[in-house]
Amino acid sequence: MVSNRQLEERNARRDRIIDGALRVFKRLGIDGVTMNEIALESDFGKASLYYYFPSKEDVFQAIMENGWQNLWESIEDIVVNEQKPKKKFLTLLITIAEIVKSNQTLYEFLFAAPKAIPMNSENFDSWKSYQNRLYSTIMGILEDGVAAGEFVKIEPEILMRAIGGIFHSLIFPSGESASLSEKDLDLVLSKLLEPS
């Protein structure tokens, strides 16, 4: 039987491997990530690495699942809070922006990986469910805002794409930027979302 201490040590090793893989991604891009590079960066032998992850795709899967699950779980208090849709939406975007900025390499990976890695494997379903739940929740808030007259009547999926583009450019600008404030975000979104 495995003790709690052994489980903690396993998880710590897996986390070290994931952190190493993210450092390799930051340095070499997704195409440069190899099991050898991950082993070197994580300070593990290849046998140890393969014990925890049989392939780099499995490492990628763990990164994707952990990242999307943590993001999803971090918004629960906002989602269940009884606020008007506009306030809830702004709070949600600010919170997500803060989380993304706090670990930018992870979230750059989460947004880049689906474009660079074949995602037709069933192994990628677990992270996708967290991403879909997050997007569905955001769309639900937008729909509530439209119903309450706080947002312009437009297809929520179109709004999601527009907001996603704005959000991505604000969070991942080409240079350093200041934190995203609720006031600034409200100003940008009021031009896009509020009825005239």
Side-chain angles (χ1 to χ4, degrees):
M1 187 165 155
V2 178
S3 70
N4 285 340
R5 187 177 68 82
Q6 288 172 312
L7 284 174
E8 287 173 8
E9 288 172 357
R10 279 184 192 166
N11 289 335
R13 287 184 203 108
R14 285 177 55 89
D15 289 345
R16 203 164 106 200
I17 291 167
I18 287 170
D19 290 343
L22 284 170
R23 286 191 301 273
V24 173
F25 161 71
K26 179 83 171 164
R27 194 174 72 243
L28 302 175
I30 286 180
D31 292 337
V33 177
T34 64
M35 290 297 272
N36 191 50
E37 287 291 334
I38 295 170
L40 289 170
E41 189 67 38
S42 304
D43 200 26
F44 277 110
K46 282 179 92 174
S48 297
L49 178 62
Y50 280 107
Y51 177 82
Y52 291 99
F53 296 101
S55 69
K56 76 175 182 179
E57 288 75 18
D58 291 300
V59 177
F60 292 165
Q61 161 64 19
I63 293 169
M64 298 292 286
E65 186 170 352
N66 290 347
W68 283 107
Q69 181 178 3
N70 290 338
L71 189 57
W72 164 251
E73 290 174 351
S74 69
I75 65 163
E76 181 179 5
D77 290 341
I78 298 164
V79 172
V80 299
N81 191 322
E82 293 299 321
Q83 294 177 325
K84 290 188 173 194
K86 181 180 176 186
K87 177 67 175 165
K88 185 179 285 195
F89 185 68
L90 290 171
T91 304
L92 183 78
L93 289 184
I94 295 296
T95 300
I96 290 172
E98 289 169 356
I99 292 166
V100 169
K101 281 203 170 259
S102 73
N103 194 346
Q104 204 157 343
T105 301
L106 169 63
Y107 290 96
E108 285 173 358
F109 180 87
L110 294 185
F111 293 121
K115 296 174 191 147
I117 304 166
M119 295 291 176
N120 54 5
S121 166
E122 62 192 43
N123 290 341
F124 288 96
D125 288 345
S126 60
W127 71 264
K128 196 76 169 147
S129 70
Y130 289 110
Q131 183 190 54
N132 289 338
R133 290 164 69 186
L134 176 66
Y135 291 169
S136 294
T137 299
I138 293 170
M139 286 202 5
I141 294 169
L142 289 171
E143 290 169 359
D144 291 345
V146 169
E150 292 185 333
F151 300 146
V152 60
K153 284 190 178 191
I154 191 170
E155 200 62 39
E157 289 177 24
I158 294 170
L159 280 177
M160 277 292 290
R161 287 188 190 141
I163 291 164
I166 291 168
F167 186 78
H168 196 270
S169 66
L170 290 171
I171 299 304
F172 298 116
S174 54
E176 278 300 308
S177 69
S179 295
L180 186 60
S181 74
E182 185 173 334
K183 181 181 173 187
D184 293 338
L185 185 59
D186 187 26
L187 183 62
V188 169
L189 294 179
S190 66
K191 302 291 185 197
L192 178 65
L193 294 176
E194 290 181 11
S196 37

